[in-house]
Amino acid sequence: MSATAQTPKAAPRGSTAPRARAARLLGDRRLPVLVTAALFIAMYVAGLSRYQNYGFGEPQVFLNLFIDNGYLLVAAIGATFVIMSGGIDLSVGSVIGFTTMFTAWLVERQGLPLLLVVPLALAVGAFGGFLMGYVIHNFEIQPFIVTLAGLFLFRGLCLVISKESISISDASVGTLAQTRVSLGMGELSIGALVALVVLGVACYVLHYTRFGRRVYAIGGNEQSALLMGLPLGGTKIAVYTVSGFCSALAGLLFMLYIQSGDPLHAVGMELDAIAAVVIGGTLLTGGSGYVLGTLFGVLVLGLIKSVITFEGTLSSWWTKIATGVLLCAFILIQRTMTARRKT
Amino acid sequence: MTTTSRRRALTHHHLFWPVAVLIALLLVNVPFTPDFFSINMTDGHLYGSLVSIVLFGSPLILVAVGMTLVIATGGIDLSVGAVVAITGALTCSYISDQADQNTLSAVFLAMGIGLVAAVVCGLWNGFLVARMGIQPIIATLIIMVAGRGVAQLITDGQIITVNSEPYKLIGGGYWLTLPFSVFVVAAVVAVTVALTRRTALGLLVESVGGNAEASRLVGIRSTRIKIMVYMFCALCAGIAGLMISSNTSAADGNNAGLWIELDAILAVVIGGTSLLGGRFSIGGTVVGALVIQTLTTTIYTIGVPTQTNLVFKAAVVIVVCLLQSPKFRAKVFGAKGPKGPQRDTAPVEPAPAADAAPKMEVSR
């Protein structure tokens, strides 16, 4: 908003039009998303030139990004809602782990049909999110601490169900996991399709509905939103419910992807989700960002993993280091942007 | 002073509830382990449940003490677990490279390398938070994510084992009949308390946490104070890292100090330090850390399956936070009444009603 207000100061007497343009560009809310998109393309092109002989250029390699990271995308979308509203949800990874365990236990040990288990798991996740939102709003405890308790609780519940992993041999799960939908140039899994649908729905909800505007408003300035008469509590609780639901859905996709329940599944995935959201250009202070940015954030993280796989010699810890470095870079970009906007 | 007013003074002391919880937890053990409080002497070493609680709780106390000061400035440090892993990895990999792992100078040098790395991590966190003005949760998230990768890089993804007698002393050795780590913890706590309560430093930390901008305007170098506090926190984490790796004689980049940041924050909260910053209690934190360790021990001794440990912890977090929430007290106990059982925490909590909403602003 202040990009234009600031222009006269930055550009005295029309002598430095490029600088003014640069200032306007730096103040643009879309910049972080564009940077991430550009980074993704640059990484992809670099990968193409380096591993062309190893089949990096195949369309399927690109589609595999969605197949291999569908669950992360769904979880990150949930996290986007929370972060957009100015909160944080640390329970994501635990809820994912719990969902894999819960569904595996119900399907394998209790013999319930998948058709019943899926809605049940989603309901449990959403209810968990609702409870956390309820406590956060009604008792004014920091989201950080409440969702931390959620992290402990769901991870603990995983272990209560079983200490060992439960592999899923259920036929319907197997069929679902192996089903591939052909897109002509390649194919997508059911999980990837679900993730894309969630992406579409989230885009619509966050950018085109009243609820979405409220989320932005609360994240932008809670006090103002309250004074404007927005239903603060309802929106906040809804945001955590959405996050809980998305985490549970991500858990189901993860369960499909990996076909087992394990109490140690997805440990620390909340960090991946938060990192994806940040790299996607959503302001951690809330109130600004795009769901599409989160998609690019997830794709960038996914691409790091595929590049490391193609490289072969690089070890898995480089994923963590690269994620950290990227995270750092994007946080600093965000910081310079917000500093600019404030002046 | 009448008895009632004396009793009120006691129950209103900020350490009353944490200590009461600790004692209650300890007493829970007695029906299950009748000789829970007995301490016996074997081979010139003291053994007993109480000793092992302190021994196993030592790294947590250290990390939590550092975390207290960070939280007092209104920040939070999520990277301590990764710092624990990095310190352990560096130290152990240096020691394991030595021809003679028992050389005292080599062990000291190794520990020095580890601690310097820890302090550098703290410097980086402090720089991001204080200079760049990035939210502490996010700034420290970077090392939390990348740090374990770095630790694995140092250990080459392996678990490095060392076989060094002097190094073993820090986390697993005994001195003057007590675990050596107890002395380390006592020294760190004593130095911290002396620095923060016998000098103006504690006041400065609290004023930065209360209002960084205002304290900057009255001439406190809030940036410098914040950076110092993050460095101190990382140093504490580094010492804890030495202790953990020394206790197991191994450095595990992946699992060393896993989730210790969460336990440490929990200990700080149980100890009565508000997450909003501005006030802190080192004593409370030590008690809080002991409560967590005792909880873990209790779960073991009363025969509850260990895997429910985390569920208990979650329950404790929620109960403690609810009791500290002014809004919850108002709704459930009617906090205005003089007999509100949890009123003692009210002075610790600087959260007035209008301002109670957690602020997610970028702090400067």
Side-chain angles (χ1 to χ4, degrees):
Chain A
M1 5 161 203
S2 63
T4 40
Q6 194 199 38
T7 327
K9 230 192 290 171
R13 290 288 147 88
S15 59
T16 46
R19 203 191 290 172
R21 209 176 297 143
R24 207 176 306 136
L25 181 70
L26 269 177
D28 195 318
R29 276 162 189 268
R30 282 166 297 186
L31 179 74
V33 182
L34 294 178
V35 169
T36 314
L39 178 75
F40 174 73
I41 293 168
M43 279 170 63
Y44 195 77
V45 171
L48 273 184
S49 65
R50 195 173 159 90
Y51 314 113
Q52 198 168 23
N53 302 334
Y54 303 96
F56 196 85
E58 302 272 324
Q60 191 57 46
V61 171
F62 177 75
L63 291 178
N64 280 348
L65 286 180
F66 289 90
I67 297 179
D68 296 338
N69 298 290
Y71 56 90
L72 181 59
L73 178 58
V74 173
I77 288 170
T80 310
F81 273 81
V82 174
I83 291 175
M84 210 79 93
S85 80
I88 198 143
D89 188 351
L90 294 182
S91 69
V92 172
S94 288
V95 175
I96 293 176
F98 172 74
T99 309
T100 65
M101 206 62 201
F102 184 63
T103 46
W105 180 68
L106 284 182
V107 170
E108 285 300 309
R109 301 278 160 87
Q110 309 298 315
L112 290 183
L114 198 62
L115 219 61
L116 196 72
V117 171
V118 167
L120 200 61
L122 291 177
V124 170
F127 183 66
F130 169 80
L131 274 187
M132 286 188 272
Y134 183 84
V135 172
I136 289 168
H137 173 68
N138 280 289
F139 304 127
E140 287 174 355
I141 304 178
Q142 295 204 357
F144 176 78
I145 283 292
V146 176
T147 54
L148 176 61
L151 183 155
F152 283 143
L153 181 68
F154 279 103
R155 193 57 73 185
L157 288 177
C158 278
L159 290 159
V160 170
I161 291 177
S162 166
K163 249 164 61 174
E164 266 111 60
S165 78
I166 304 175
S167 63
I168 300 174
S169 48
D170 186 78
S172 49
V173 176
T175 340
L176 262 185
Q178 264 131 45
T179 307
R180 290 285 183 274
V181 179
S182 176
L183 289 182
M185 55 173 184
E187 43 195 23
L188 279 178
S189 67
I190 300 285
L193 285 179
V194 171
L196 287 175
V197 169
V198 172
L199 180 76
V201 172
C203 258
Y204 175 75
V205 169
L206 207 48
H207 301 311
Y208 297 102
T209 65
R210 203 181 287 169
F211 173 66
R213 298 315 303 172
R214 283 179 187 157
V215 173
Y216 273 100
I218 289 177
N221 190 330
E222 205 171 296
Q223 295 293 332
S224 312
L226 191 64
L227 291 175
M228 266 161 67
L230 292 185
L232 194 65
T235 312
K236 259 191 175 178
I237 296 176
V239 160
Y240 286 95
T241 313
V242 167
S243 175
F245 178 86
C246 283
S247 306
L249 185 57
L252 287 174
L253 299 188
F254 194 63
M255 187 268 292
L256 266 191
Y257 182 68
I258 219 147
Q259 294 200 39
S260 73
D262 189 299
L264 291 179
H265 271 340
V267 167
M269 197 170 283
E270 56 278 344
L271 301 178
D272 287 340
I274 294 171
V277 175
V278 174
I279 292 173
T282 299
L283 279 194
L284 273 154
T285 42
S288 168
Y290 297 93
V291 176
L292 210 60
T294 301
L295 170 68
F296 278 113
V298 171
L299 287 179
V300 166
L301 290 187
L303 197 59
I304 294 177
K305 275 189 256 172
S306 349
V307 166
I308 284 173
T309 319
F310 269 89
E311 188 66 31
T313 53
L314 282 171
S315 307
S316 68
W317 48 84
W318 283 108
T319 321
K320 289 179 190 164
I321 298 179
T323 310
V325 170
L326 270 183
L327 194 62
C328 180
F330 277 83
I331 289 168
L332 289 176
I333 291 176
Q334 285 194 359
R335 183 58 199 145
T336 46
M337 283 188 60
T338 43
R340 214 160 255 280
R341 211 171 283 160
K342 274 211 179 110
T343 42
Chain B
M1 213 184 209
T2 61
T3 1
T4 35
S5 72
R6 200 173 299 156
R7 194 189 305 147
R8 187 166 298 163
L10 179 68
T11 55
H12 283 204
H13 190 269
H14 70 271
L15 280 181
F16 177 77
W17 283 103
V19 170
V21 170
L22 179 60
I23 293 173
L25 267 176
L26 287 171
L27 287 178
V28 167
N29 284 283
V30 175
F32 299 93
T33 328
D35 55 347
F36 186 75
F37 286 102
S38 72
I39 292 174
N40 41 29
M41 185 81 103
T42 318
D43 302 336
H45 299 160
L46 289 178
Y47 284 101
S49 305
L50 292 182
V51 178
S52 44
I53 286 176
V54 178
L55 173 61
F56 292 122
S58 299
L60 180 59
I61 297 176
L62 281 178
V63 174
V65 164
M67 185 74 83
T68 309
L69 292 188
V70 169
I71 289 180
T73 64
I76 205 148
D77 189 346
L78 296 183
S79 71
V80 284
V83 172
V84 162
I86 292 177
T87 312
L90 268 178
T91 309
C92 286
S93 63
Y94 185 83
I95 293 180
S96 67
D97 282 347
Q98 301 301 309
D100 180 12
Q101 298 194 359
N102 288 325
T103 322
L104 214 51
S105 57
V107 171
F108 274 116
L109 186 58
M111 283 162 36
I113 294 171
L115 292 181
V116 166
V119 171
V120 168
C121 289
L123 179 64
W124 168 250
N125 284 334
F127 171 76
L128 287 183
V129 172
R131 274 284 160 78
M132 305 300 293
I134 294 166
Q135 256 179 303
I137 292 187
I138 305 313
T140 54
L141 186 68
I142 297 171
I143 295 191
M144 187 185 186
V145 173
R148 285 203 183 274
V150 172
Q152 279 171 293
L153 183 69
I154 295 167
T155 64
D156 217 15
Q158 311 284 314
I159 296 176
I160 294 186
T161 51
V162 292
N163 191 8
S164 164
E165 279 306 317
Y167 188 57
K168 181 80 189 164
L169 176 71
I170 307 165
Y174 282 78
W175 191 53
L176 295 179
T177 75
L178 279 173
F180 187 75
S181 56
V182 173
F183 293 98
V184 177
V185 169
V188 171
V189 170
V191 168
T192 316
V193 169
L195 279 180
T196 53
R197 291 306 182 210
R198 295 279 169 252
T199 71
L201 207 57
L203 193 66
L204 299 186
V205 166
E206 287 182 337
S207 90
V208 168
N211 189 332
E213 185 62 14
S215 46
R216 192 185 64 78
L217 291 175
V218 296
I220 297 170
R221 296 170 187 254
S222 55
T223 311
R224 194 181 286 180
I225 297 263
K226 276 191 182 174
I227 293 181
M228 258 170 47
V229 159
Y230 279 92
M231 285 167 70
F232 176 74
C233 180
L235 178 66
C236 287
I239 301 175
L242 294 182
M243 230 175 238
I244 290 172
S245 63
S246 144
N247 191 305
T248 55
S249 286
D252 181 352
N254 222 5
N255 294 315
L258 194 64
W259 287 352
I260 203 170
E261 54 277 335
L262 305 181
D263 277 349
I265 294 165
L266 185 53
V268 174
V269 173
I270 292 177
T273 298
S274 161
L275 279 170
L276 299 172
R279 291 274 176 96
F280 70 90
S281 154
I282 299 283
T285 296
V286 173
V287 175
L290 288 175
V291 166
I292 293 173
Q293 192 57 44
T294 311
L295 183 68
T296 315
T297 312
T298 308
I299 291 168
Y300 278 111
T301 53
I302 67 177
V304 175
T306 49
Q307 56 267 33
T308 53
N309 192 329
L310 284 170
V311 179
F312 276 89
K313 232 176 230 174
V316 171
V317 183
I318 279 298
V319 168
V320 169
C321 288
L322 284 181
L323 289 180
Q324 288 191 354
S325 148
K327 241 187 152 180
F328 179 81
R329 288 206 306 269
K331 271 184 191 169
V332 179
F333 304 114
K336 290 280 176 276
K339 276 193 188 164
Q342 266 74 42
R343 258 181 66 87
D344 66 299
T345 46
V348 184
E349 282 272 320
D355 207 35
K359 288 194 198 104
M360 297 295 282
E361 289 167 14
V362 179
S363 55
R364 242 165 300 173

